[in-house]
Amino acid sequence: MDAALRKRLYWHSRRGMWELDLLLIPFLEQCYDTLDEADQAAYRSLIDEEDQDLFAWLMRREWPEEPVRRRIVQLIVEHAENPDSAAYRPV
């Protein structure tokens, strides 16, 4: 991935809401490059959503109706719940 795209994704993943930052930034840094093209596109689309929608989905209060969006949300949630990813979380 080129540096300009990486920087744009990083800044769009920083939401100013701590709970979202703790989920999105580690996922971007640790998983994005290994996603297939469709999942990468789904992530890029996801981070354009409103914070309140992202919060509801990533806190599992609701699930997105669109299957592609639901899949990327599920990948992010699973990554956050994986004990191996805990070492990367800021305290």
Side-chain angles (χ1 to χ4, degrees):
M1 171 179 8
D2 71 35
L5 176 58
R6 168 67 71 181
K7 188 178 231 181
R8 185 182 80 73
L9 289 174
Y10 181 82
W11 287 107
H12 285 267
S13 296
R14 289 190 62 203
R15 307 305 291 205
M17 185 182 281
W18 190 65
E19 296 87 349
L20 296 180
D21 291 352
L22 287 178
L23 296 172
L24 294 174
I25 293 172
F27 184 82
L28 173 67
E29 292 175 343
Q30 298 159 25
C31 301
Y32 182 85
D33 292 337
T34 63
L35 298 175
D36 64 29
E37 181 78 28
D39 287 338
Q40 286 182 353
Y43 183 83
R44 291 190 305 268
S45 174
L46 181 72
I47 60 175
D48 287 335
E49 292 292 333
E50 297 292 327
D51 285 354
Q52 65 267 19
D53 292 330
L54 288 173
F55 186 81
W57 296 334
L58 294 172
M59 296 297 119
R60 296 192 294 168
R61 294 182 177 162
E62 300 174 9
W63 287 109
E65 291 182 22
E66 180 186 337
V68 171
R69 177 126 321 136
R70 187 176 308 134
R71 173 176 162 70
I72 194 66
V73 167
Q74 186 65 41
L75 289 173
I76 294 167
V77 168
E78 287 174 0
H79 177 261
E81 292 175 347
N82 181 344
D84 293 336
S85 68
Y88 299 101
R89 290 190 196 125
V91 182

